[in-house]
Amino acid sequence: MKRLTWLVLGISISLIWTGCESDSSRTYTGTLLQLDYSGPGDISGGSWIEIDGIRFEHIDQHEALLNTPDALPATIVYQNVGSGGENGPAERGLPESFTRLDIAIQLGNFLRRQSGDDFQYINPSPTMTMLQGRLRIRRSDEQPITVRLSDGYPITVTVLE
């Protein structure tokens, strides 16, 4: 009976501890990761993917997207029309759509630019990225890569190695 009490207490503490975590992101670590953007669902503004501490945020406003380096588009980006100000808020124009395939290719290009003197991010399957929206990444120094996703980020990450 005493063991049962300790077991219940231990499980309760574990559940409370897990429920108190403030970071609702998903984290993956490996030397070869596949980021699969081919699935369904929109990627909204404010969502993000972080690779080795470099955060790539999705933006759904055209002007902000143009003025933010290494920002990824959301699947729907709005362009404001009109000045706003005294005349009231700026009006939204027609939305511009980006496919998840476009986003995977752009993320691969950003990673290539993030490569430094010590290592490079390598996409061993660029054709798969262009045709299927599956971006594989590896570091040239074979060190592990850590990927974090914001809550609800609609891609599948697979640790291949």
Side-chain angles (χ1 to χ4, degrees), residues 130-145:
M130 289 188 283
L131 295 177
Q132 299 175 349
R134 293 187 176 118
L135 173 62
R136 288 188 176 177
I137 53 173
R138 175 188 301 275
R139 286 175 52 144
S140 61
D141 62 0
E142 297 294 321
Q143 292 298 309
I145 299 170

Side-chain angles (χ1 to χ4, degrees), residues 27-80:
T27 303
Y28 306 87
T29 302
T31 56
L32 177 63
L33 299 175
Q34 178 172 283
L35 312 175
D36 188 353
Y37 280 87
S38 66
D42 288 331
I43 300 176
S44 60
S47 58
W48 51 265
I49 180 169
E50 187 175 280
I51 301 172
D52 287 343
I54 305 165
R55 186 170 287 198
F56 300 95
E57 186 169 348
H58 292 273
I59 296 179
D60 62 0
Q61 296 297 316
H62 189 263
E63 288 297 318
L65 184 60
L66 292 177
N67 296 319
T68 307
D70 294 345
L72 293 169
T75 49
I76 298 175
V77 175
Y78 295 95
Q79 183 168 5
N80 288 334

Side-chain angles (χ1 to χ4, degrees), residues 111-128:
L111 287 174
R112 197 170 326 120
R113 286 200 317 247
Q114 293 292 336
S115 298
D117 295 334
D118 298 334
F119 70 91
Q120 294 180 337
Y121 288 104
I122 299 168
N123 179 2
S125 305
T127 304
M128 185 168 48

Side-chain angles (χ1 to χ4, degrees), residues 98-109:
F98 289 88
T99 67
R100 291 165 56 111
L101 178 68
D102 295 331
I103 294 169
I105 291 169
Q106 189 166 353
L107 178 59
N109 291 337

